[in-house]
Amino acid sequence: MSLLHGVGIGWRDELAGFVDRRQGLGFVEVVAERFHDGAALPAGLARLRERGVPVVPHGVRLSLGSASEPDPGRVGHLAGLAGRLGSPLVSEHVAFVRGGGLEAGHLLPVPRTRDALDVLVRNVRLAQAELPVPLALEHVAALLEWPAPELDEAAFLTGLLERTGAWLLLDVANLYANAHNHGGDPLAVLDALPLERVAYVHVAGGVERDGLYHDTHAHPTPPPVLGLVAELCARFTGGPPRRLPPGPPRRDPPGVMLERDDAYPPEPELAAELDAIAAAVHAGPAARP
């Protein structure tokens, strides 16, 4: 069972008014590092909670893929924010952002080696021990691949989830970006992942430049990414449940949310994009390209 359902959106200061007025939201996600311990939360988030809309803290700074252990202060901040928001879960990235005292300023991909997997497992378990709610892990969009990978992306993520019991934050835009930039079939990756561990789903827009697809979060969601949303949800509602546990053939699809971090469009365009995502969620197998 997925932990979140419906169509959601990433809460940003610039979108606070739109989110406040938008009815029928399944959930929202907030960037954990945007909030400081002890500071008052925006009134809009309190109103969302009063409406019964789940609010999920999404971390970007734990650097779970670093050789060093997670900073207890950062883990404590994520845990405290989950408590303040009454969140059903928190999420972070399968990535590293620092090493040797240097800050990268970006979510960098982890080498897909067994040694790197061991480090990730250790760090995820350390974080889980301090968190009051389940942890979902998001794979990142990568413009480069580390040389000599020992595992493909699906096997790497599956091993991480199996060894930690964590959930998967499945980003279909990242899935599309990685397949575009490094080759491979995104549907094959989708079918190789443990879909029963999907907590919720990210969708975002991007743009192709010089043959590479950049996951910008500043452009409309392209049709191929919406198509992947339909493919994913079809596997829950009527498609081939290859990696789902035995049970009834129809299941509720996971929650799907839009990430927008720049070049915010007018509200009618943003509403239309959320409606298009909702249509893809419920499109079913017949909508596949």
Side-chain angles (χ1 to χ4, degrees), residues 192-215:
L193 289 170
L195 298 185
E196 74 276 7
R197 299 301 303 169
V198 174
Y200 66 109
V201 177
H202 274 179
V203 173
V207 65
E208 183 177 340
R209 299 191 189 103
D210 299 325
L212 288 177
Y213 184 83
H214 297 258
D215 180 47

Side-chain angles (χ1 to χ4, degrees), residues 19-20 25-26 64 85 102 125 132 137 145 152 157 232:
V19 174
D20 208 23
L25 282 173
L64 293 170
L85 293 170
L102 299 176
R125 287 174 175 169
L137 300 171
E145 284 269 70
D152 63 28
L157 290 172
L232 168 67

Side-chain angles (χ1 to χ4, degrees), residues 2-270:
S2 304
L3 297 184
L4 295 170
H5 297 282
V7 174
I9 191 169
W11 190 93
R12 305 292 185 263
D13 292 299
E14 296 86 348
L15 300 177
F18 171 82
V19 174
D20 208 23
R21 291 184 289 272
R22 177 77 177 184
Q23 297 300 308
L25 282 173
F27 61 100
V28 300
E29 180 193 82
V30 296
V31 176
E33 287 77 7
R34 181 254 180 252
F35 304 97
H36 300 288
D37 292 333
L41 295 172
L45 292 181
R47 287 193 292 271
L48 286 169
R49 292 190 59 200
E50 291 169 0
R51 288 163 49 187
V53 179
V55 181
V56 177
H58 183 57
V60 297
R61 304 285 291 168
L62 279 191
S63 198
L64 293 170
S66 292
S68 56
E69 296 180 358
D71 179 352
R74 296 182 188 275
V75 178
H77 172 72
L78 193 58
L81 187 57
R84 295 173 69 192
L85 293 170
S87 305
L89 75 158
V90 299
S91 56
E92 245 290 357
H93 296 84
V94 180
F96 69 96
V97 300
R98 72 184 60 86
L102 299 176
E103 296 283 338
H106 297 280
L107 293 164
L108 299 175
V110 176
R112 292 198 306 273
T113 64
R114 290 176 176 82
D115 286 344
L117 180 57
D118 288 342
V119 170
L120 261 172
V121 168
R122 179 202 67 190
N123 289 346
V124 168
R125 287 174 175 169
L126 287 170
Q128 287 172 313
E130 303 302 322
L131 293 170
V133 292
L135 172 64
L137 300 171
E138 178 187 358
H139 54 115
V140 300
L143 293 176
L144 59 87
E145 284 269 70
W146 290 99
E150 297 172 356
L151 300 163
D152 63 28
E153 186 172 26
F156 190 83
L157 290 172
T158 299
L160 177 60
L161 301 178
E162 288 178 346
R163 292 173 61 182
T164 62
W167 290 81
L168 176 63
L169 168 45
L170 178 59
D171 191 314
V172 293
N174 292 353
L175 194 68
Y176 173 77
N178 290 339
H180 184 283
N181 293 338
H182 311 302
D185 179 2
L187 294 181
V189 178
L190 198 63
D191 283 331
L193 289 170
L195 298 185
E196 74 276 7
R197 299 301 303 169
V198 174
Y200 66 109
V201 177
H202 274 179
V203 173
V207 65
E208 183 177 340
R209 299 191 189 103
D210 299 325
L212 288 177
Y213 184 83
H214 297 258
D215 180 47
T216 63
H217 297 190
H219 294 80
T221 304
V225 173
L226 291 175
L228 283 176
V229 172
E231 285 280 357
L232 168 67
C233 293
R235 282 152 172 75
F236 286 81
T237 61
R242 300 184 187 179
R243 296 299 302 272
L244 295 175
R250 292 187 63 85
R251 310 170 203 279
D252 291 334
V256 181
M257 61 151 278
L258 174 65
E259 292 184 288
R260 190 72 182 234
D261 294 310
D262 202 358
Y264 299 101
E267 286 195 10
E269 292 182 22
L270 195 60

